Amino acid sequence: MKTHAEHKTNWTVMILLILGLITIAFPLYMTIIIAFKQPSEMTNSISGILSLPKSWSLNNFKEAMEVTDFWNSLKNSVLISVLTVVLSIVIHSLMGYAVGRNKAHSKFYNFVYLFIVSGMFVPFAILMMPLAKQTAEMGLGNWVGVIILYVVFYMPMNVLLYSGYLTNIPIALEEAARVDGASTWRTYWKVIFPIMKPMHATVAVITALSVWNDVMTPLVIMAGTGQNTLPLAQLNFQTQFGTNYNLAFASYLLALIPIVIFYVICQKQILNGVVNGAVK
């Protein structure tokens, strides 16, 4: 039989789950119904905002795609996100491996680890203007410069994740590979890199979500180039006199679909990465 403490814990967990569901489901409900409504259906009353659309029409989505030049903006967002994720997995996993395997017995690698991780505490607002000027002078005021900056910005968190995940991988595997004559480079790519597949998926989703939803970096670096990512294009719905919520929410739903599909594909590997990363 369950004790009183166990029943109390179960009720607490249930209440928290319900609150979490409401927190997620209610904004999603609002986004969907407003995206399908016509501007004439938007009233100042709560009941008018929460009510279902009188007719479910895709006109808002069609107009939103035209306003944001959707396919071109989507192409830019996908290009930047995919290249950032690939470079992050390759570069950050290598750095995480080098630092994670050596920081315990090397003051130099421990310093490098702390130096890299400390980058998480530097806000982008401090670096914004110097980076905009520097990238412009170097001819990187475009999507290439944005990708380079993303790889640098997400390095602290990803190196932290990779180096922590390495604690679950026995060093005996690397020793066995060396006995068989494999070099450190070959050992990493043939033994360690495949084992870190769950963490690759976790890093990919975290990085992709951050890049996909980011506005400030493309806005500062790519200003004046005529190239837009989806978040940048969605700024067109905000004017000096107000915001067209119907078109904006329709555009948000369109932008949500690709990243949700990507998350669903990687979901199983992410769960494995979280479970394995929590067990030492």
Side-chain angles (χ1 to χ4, degrees):
M1 297 199 45
K2 293 184 178 180
T3 63
H4 176 71
E6 290 176 336
H7 280 291
K8 187 176 181 180
T9 301
N10 289 339
W11 275 107
T12 303
V13 171
M14 188 177 297
I15 292 173
L16 291 175
L17 288 174
I18 293 173
L19 290 175
L21 178 62
I22 294 174
T23 303
I24 297 172
F26 181 71
L28 183 60
Y29 168 78
M30 291 291 296
T31 302
I32 293 173
I33 63 172
I34 291 176
F36 281 94
K37 281 184 176 181
Q38 297 303 312
S40 58
E41 299 179 60
M42 298 291 292
T43 63
N44 293 327
S45 64
I46 297 298
S47 59
I49 296 176
L50 296 179
S51 62
L52 294 174
K54 295 179 181 178
S55 61
W56 297 83
S57 172
L58 297 177
N59 290 335
N60 287 336
F61 294 89
K62 181 180 178 180
E63 188 174 348
M65 292 177 71
E66 294 174 355
V67 172
T68 59
D69 189 11
F70 179 77
W71 294 113
N72 187 47
S73 300
L74 177 66
K75 180 194 69 176
N76 292 333
S77 286
V78 170
L79 176 66
I80 292 174
S81 298
V82 170
L83 290 179
T84 300
V85 167
V86 172
L87 290 173
S88 295
I89 289 176
V90 173
I91 296 173
H92 299 164
S93 63
L94 277 168
M95 295 182 66
Y97 174 67
V99 171
R101 281 297 191 234
N102 294 285
K103 65 185 178 73
H105 53 268
S106 171
K107 291 183 178 180
F108 171 74
Y109 280 100
N110 189 53
F111 170 78
V112 170
Y113 172 75
L114 294 175
F115 179 78
I116 293 175
V117 172
S118 65
M120 289 190 294
F121 305 102
V122 181
F124 177 73
I126 296 177
L127 306 173
M128 184 168 59
M129 295 313 297
L131 285 174
K133 182 174 179 60
Q134 187 176 4
T135 51
E137 291 178 349
M138 297 174 64
L140 294 174
N142 48 40
W143 60 269
V144 177
V146 171
I147 292 173
I148 294 173
L149 290 178
Y150 279 145
V151 173
V152 175
F153 290 157
Y154 301 128
M155 184 187 302
M157 175 59 72
N158 292 344
V159 169
L160 176 68
L161 292 173
Y162 276 119
S163 60
Y165 189 79
L166 277 168
T167 59
N168 300 300
I169 301 177
I171 199 170
L173 294 175
E174 299 168 53
E175 294 173 347
R178 292 193 185 98
V179 170
D180 291 337
S183 62
T184 302
W185 184 257
R186 185 176 179 82
T187 299
Y188 173 75
W189 288 112
K190 295 296 184 181
V191 179
I192 303 300
F193 190 82
I195 293 177
M196 292 197 295
K197 184 178 179 181
M199 187 50 63
H200 296 326
T202 303
V203 166
V205 169
I206 293 175
T207 303
L209 281 172
S210 302
V211 171
W212 190 263
N213 296 318
D214 184 44
V215 177
M216 288 304 299
T217 306
L219 179 63
V220 172
I221 304 302
M222 296 169 55
T225 63
Q227 297 176 320
N228 281 333
T229 59
L230 281 174
L232 275 184
Q234 289 166 350
L235 293 178
N236 292 328
F237 301 118
Q238 299 177 0
T239 67
Q240 180 181 357
F241 304 101
T243 301
N244 190 328
Y245 290 104
N246 303 95
L247 296 187
F249 280 49
S251 180
Y252 298 156
L253 283 179
L254 289 172
L256 181 66
I257 294 173
I259 201 68
V260 168
I261 294 174
F262 178 67
Y263 177 80
V264 170
I265 293 173
C266 298
Q267 184 179 17
K268 183 177 179 180
Q269 293 298 327
I270 294 171
L271 293 175
N272 291 337
V274 171
V275 172
N276 293 335
V279 181
K280 293 187 178 180

